[in-house]
Amino acid sequence: MSLPRIAIDAMGGDEGVRVMIEGAALARRSHDAFNFLLVGDQARIEAALEDHPNMRGASEILHCEDVISGDEQPSRAIRRAKTTSMGLAVNAVKEGAAGAAISGGNTGALMAMSKIALRTMPGIDRPALAALMPTLEPHDVVMLDLGANTEADARNLVQFAVMGAAYSRIVNGFEKPTVRLLNIGTEEIKGTDALRDAAARLTAASEDRNGGLEMNFAGFVESDKINRGETHVVVTDGFSGNIALKAIEGSARFVTDLLKQAFTSSIRSKVGFLVSRPATELLRHHLDPNNHNGAVFLGLNGVVIKSHGSANAKGVAHAVTVAARLLENKLTQRITHDLAELGEAAFQNNDGAPVSEAGPAK
């Protein structure tokens, strides 16, 4: 089955063209239906394609030498959207020349460009950045928002929950994903006004539909339970989500570095490492961010994937596969359907007024 083309910002990421092309080629070896629009310096892209003949007939090159730097302000990047590889990749989705765009470049610039070019979907106030993280169970957990919005009111959180559930159904195959709001405790009285309002809206919507809502809202979750696998979708604002994400990534690196030190501290430890190597290799594989690469800007009229700047070819291939699955399963249409099923009542107070803005923590 043929899929819409995937536009790749070949200049984005720490290593740029080589890794982005190698990652796309790796993905295509497993899925020969993939086709690409490679945006970037034509000479460099063609040189990289020499090592990947399976990409030749499946790729078109859009020449562009201008690149968004990693520290460039989003406001400046927006003004250069029509002349940069990142901007042209996103614009290809807007113009229908591609079904999805992938970039490993500046996250803030990619978010700003995507929001302006593609606009938010009807019924969505703000897009959210969602990513997959490993758990103790066979499935990953979807977490959003991870940095697109530093603040979120109850209405935003309800929308994030709908989008996260739709995403989880596609990538993890759950018919009714378990959704929880990240909080400082699981008790109903804990958290900000926005969190408690959002929980009330989602609970009421689930009860009113007699289980027909395509998610299982299960209240609050604390940050130490995110990776247990008991929750399929964790919803929060971008400020808290970004802190939680980096804390989890830092803890994973700490554990792997500590094990490395422990296993190299003596001859006896090195022998122990050889004995336990299958287990440590499994741990390393599970914690490798390349196996979970590909954050998605949910809520836009189009699919945009943010690949980690340091991702290797395997990580880029994973991001390409995520993009293809979202296109194949019509993510935006699913979100539109779920918003309609949820109903406007979930976004209002009992008196019909919009739900309150975030208040102080309690």
Side-chain angles (χ1 to χ4, degrees):
M1 182 180 108
S2 180
L3 288 169
R5 285 195 304 182
I6 297 173
I8 293 183
D9 171 16
M11 311 296 281
D14 295 352
E15 294 193 52
V17 175
R18 183 189 66 79
V19 166
M20 298 304 288
I21 301 302
E22 185 178 347
L26 181 62
R28 196 169 191 278
R29 281 202 287 272
S30 300
H31 307 276
D32 59 8
F34 293 171
N35 292 279
F36 303 98
L37 176 65
L38 307 175
V39 187
D41 184 274
Q42 183 166 353
R44 295 175 61 188
I45 292 175
E46 288 181 343
L49 288 174
E50 290 293 331
D51 295 326
H52 305 287
N54 70 320
M55 290 283 288
R56 281 292 182 184
S59 303
E60 179 184 343
I61 300 173
L62 178 59
H63 177 67
C64 176
E65 297 180 7
D66 202 2
V67 181
I68 298 294
S69 66
D71 59 355
E72 191 163 337
Q73 289 294 325
S75 57
R76 183 171 184 272
I78 290 170
R79 294 194 294 270
R80 302 199 304 125
K82 295 182 178 180
T83 64
T84 56
S85 57
M86 179 187 290
L88 290 175
V90 172
N91 190 65
V93 178
K94 176 185 177 181
E95 299 297 329
I102 299 175
S103 176
N106 185 314
T107 304
L110 183 62
M111 176 78 256
M113 286 182 179
S114 300
K115 188 173 181 179
I116 288 178
L118 302 176
R119 305 293 180 183
T120 53
M121 298 170 53
I124 298 295
D125 297 330
R126 301 177 181 180
L129 184 61
L132 300 171
M133 292 190 291
T135 72
L136 291 176
E137 299 298 327
H139 62 80
D140 292 332
V141 60
V142 174
M143 187 167 176
L144 72 164
D145 177 26
L146 295 177
N149 308 279
T150 55
E151 297 180 355
D153 62 22
R155 178 184 175 95
N156 301 142
L157 293 172
V158 171
Q159 293 171 358
F160 294 171
V162 172
M163 295 191 295
Y167 183 37
S168 179
R169 292 202 303 276
I170 291 174
V171 296
N172 288 325
F174 297 117
E175 290 186 7
K176 295 185 67 170
T178 297
V179 179
R180 289 185 171 94
L181 297 168
L182 184 64
N183 203 345
I184 57 174
T186 57
E187 301 87 350
E188 292 183 0
I189 63 171
K190 290 291 182 70
T192 63
D193 290 340
L195 280 169
R196 286 181 280 112
D197 281 350
R201 298 304 113 193
L202 290 167
T203 299
S206 298
E207 292 174 351
D208 289 346
R209 291 193 53 78
N210 298 314
L213 192 64
E214 292 186 281
M215 72 172 78
N216 171 32
F217 179 68
F220 300 131
V221 63
E222 294 178 90
S223 57
D224 63 332
K225 300 294 193 300
I226 291 174
N227 300 103
R228 302 299 299 179
E230 300 165 1
T231 302
H232 303 146
V233 181
V234 175
V235 177
T236 184
D237 62 85
F239 185 83
S240 302
N242 194 269
I243 290 176
L245 173 66
K246 289 177 179 175
I248 291 170
E249 290 177 339
S251 297
R253 286 193 296 270
F254 170 74
V255 169
T256 53
D257 290 347
L258 193 62
L259 285 172
K260 184 184 296 183
Q261 288 182 5
F263 281 130
T264 57
S265 60
S266 66
I267 297 295
R268 188 175 184 179
S269 296
K270 291 177 181 178
V271 173
F273 168 73
L274 293 176
V275 173
S276 61
R277 187 166 186 173
T280 56
E281 284 297 308
L282 179 63
L283 176 65
R284 184 184 63 81
H285 175 81
H286 200 57
L287 296 179
D288 185 353
N290 288 292
N291 294 323
H292 313 279
N293 185 48
V296 185
F297 291 120
L298 297 176
L300 298 173
N301 290 301
V303 175
V304 177
I305 307 289
K306 172 62 176 73
S307 174
H308 201 291
S310 62
N312 61 20
K314 182 173 66 174
V316 173
H318 190 275
V320 170
T321 302
V322 168
R325 290 181 69 181
L326 296 182
L327 291 174
E328 188 175 20
N329 289 277
K330 304 184 186 306
L331 172 68
T332 54
Q333 291 92 325
R334 285 200 180 200
I335 293 174
T336 299
H337 171 269
D338 292 353
L339 287 171
E341 289 293 298
L342 190 62
E344 184 59 28
F347 304 113
Q348 296 179 336
N349 286 320
N350 293 331
D351 59 3
V355 290
S356 63
E357 296 289 334
K362 295 187 177 180

